[in-house]
Amino acid sequence: MKTPALLSAVLLLVSLIPAASSDLTPFTVLVANSVKVTPCKNYTTAVVFRGILLGGLKRLQNSTKDFMFTYTEDPNYGPFLQSVNGLPGSQGNRTYWELLVKKPDGQVIRPDVGIGCYLPNKYETIILNYNKY
Ligand code: B12
C-alpha cells in the first residue's frame, strides 16, 4: 500500500473506534435537603465511558475536600448510599438519601436503580436529596 493510502486507512480505522474509552462523561452532583432548609451544594465530576455513578462519586470524593459520602452493601441490590457530607439516613427517623436525576432538558426522574447501577450521562445533574419515607 502507498503511504497516502495507508494513512487514509489508519485515519478511517481511528474514526471508527467508538467514543474512546478514556473519554470522561462529565456531570454535576447537587446535594439537596427536603427535610430541613439547607443551602444546596453543587459539584462537578465525571465517570469513564459507561461508568457507574458510584465511580463518579468516588472520583469526586478523592478530588474535593468538601464532598464525602458513605455506603453500605446490600446483599441483593448492592451499594446503598448511607450518608452524604456527614449526614446519615436513619431508619429511626425514616430518612434516606434519595437519588434523582435532572436531564439536560430539565426533566427530573427518580431512577429505579441505586448508585451501583446508574450510569450517568453527559451534562446530567445527579441530585442526592435527603428525604423522608
Ligand atoms: C422500602 C424500600 C425502600 C426504603 C427502604 C427503607 C426501609 N428501611 O424500609 C427506602 C425509601 C429507603 C428506599 C430507597 C431506595 N430504593 Co427502595 N425499595 C423499597 C422496597 C419497596 C421494599 C424493600 C423491603 O422492605 N424489603 C423487605 C425487607 C425485609 O428486605 P430487606 O432486604 O431487608 O430490604 C432492604 C433493602 O431492600 C434495602 N433497599 C431498599 N431500597 C434499596 C435500593 C438499593 C439501591 C439498595 C442497595 C438497597 C435498598 O432497604 C430495605 C430495608 O433495609 C423495594 C421494592 C420491593 N417491593 O422489594 C424497593 C427497591 C429495593 N428500591 C429500589 C430503589 C431503586 C431505591 C432507590 C435507589 C430509589 C431512589 N431513586 O432514590 C433508593 C435508594 C437510594 C440510596 N440511598 O441508595 C429498587 C432497587 C432496584 C435495583 N435493582 O437497584 C426496588 C427493587 C424498587 C424498584 N424500583 O424496583 N427503598
Side-chain angles (χ1 to χ4, degrees), residues 27-38:
F27 63 96
T28 300
V29 174
L30 177 76
V31 177
N33 192 325
S34 292
V35 177
K36 190 177 161 211
V37 180
T38 313

Side-chain angles (χ1 to χ4, degrees), residues 74 77-81 91 96-99 110-114 133:
D74 181 89
Y77 298 114
F80 182 85
L81 183 61
Q91 294 230 27
Y96 77 113
W97 282 97
E98 181 183 30
L99 177 59
R110 188 174 187 269
D112 64 358
V113 292
Y133 61 85

Side-chain angles (χ1 to χ4, degrees), residues 49-119:
F49 177 66
R50 290 187 60 77
I52 58 173
L53 175 55
L54 177 60
L57 295 179
K58 286 183 176 174
R59 185 183 299 272
L60 178 58
Q61 179 163 254
N62 291 337
S63 66
T64 319
K65 281 205 189 94
D66 198 30
F67 176 83
M68 54 185 160
F69 75 104
T70 62
Y71 63 94
T72 54
E73 200 67 41
D74 181 89
N76 297 300
Y77 298 114
F80 182 85
L81 183 61
Q82 177 55 35
S83 76
V84 178
N85 290 343
L87 178 62
S90 135
Q91 294 230 27
N93 298 330
R94 296 182 63 84
T95 54
Y96 77 113
W97 282 97
E98 181 183 30
L99 177 59
L100 301 171
V101 179
K102 189 174 177 188
K103 300 281 178 187
D105 67 1
Q107 187 201 3
V108 176
I109 59 152
R110 188 174 187 269
D112 64 358
V113 292
I115 56 172
C117 292
Y118 188 75
L119 311 184

